[in-house]
Amino acid sequence: MTFLGNLPEKPREKIIYNINKATLVNSKELFKKLTDDIWEFRTIHNKTYYRMLAFWDKTGTTDTLVISTHGMIKKTRKIPKSEILKAERVMIEYFNQK
């Protein structure tokens, strides 16, 4: 993933820790619903707000797959609409190719 690969080591480690944590617990601190289909995965490290937009693929017979479309460093109160639209485009492409 390009976003994680471009981050400094400590924030990247914290995000990976939170991803692993999310596989074990359902935490409102980690996920926030933005639209019917798009969620933000949240991590804070040293007062910097890291966000990865994601959607759920529940088409499998047993497991739900969480697909992260892209990440960003949040600089405003709200996630920009353009970022949500980008995540929706990736989601549509994903399901069209599946």
Side-chain angles (χ1 to χ4, degrees):
M1 174 177 273
T2 304
F3 175 69
L4 284 177
N6 290 331
L7 292 177
E9 181 180 358
K10 293 294 182 184
R12 181 176 54 242
E13 288 175 352
K14 175 103 185 251
I15 292 169
I16 292 169
Y17 170 83
N18 282 344
I19 289 170
N20 290 327
K21 180 179 176 182
T23 65
L24 303 173
V25 296
N26 186 1
S27 172
K28 290 184 179 185
E29 292 177 8
L30 297 177
F31 282 106
K32 179 181 176 188
K33 192 172 190 176
L34 299 176
T35 69
D36 286 342
D37 298 313
I38 303 298
W39 294 70
E40 70 173 332
F41 180 79
R42 308 182 295 180
T43 298
I44 300 171
H45 179 72
N46 285 343
K47 299 181 183 178
T48 301
Y49 297 83
Y50 298 91
R51 299 295 189 256
M52 294 186 342
L53 300 189
F55 61 90
W56 273 229
D57 178 352
K58 298 180 182 182
T59 59
T61 56
T62 57
D63 294 325
T64 297
L65 185 61
V66 178
I67 308 293
S68 175
T69 61
H70 65 289
M72 65 185 167
I73 296 174
K74 187 174 173 188
K75 296 180 180 181
T76 61
R77 234 178 171 176
K78 287 187 154 194
I79 298 291
K81 183 73 172 169
S82 61
E83 299 294 339
I84 295 170
L85 292 172
K86 180 178 179 179
E88 289 173 338
R89 281 192 307 272
V90 171
M91 180 185 68
I92 290 167
E93 286 177 32
Y94 170 84
F95 284 113
N96 283 341
Q97 292 179 11
K98 191 166 180 194

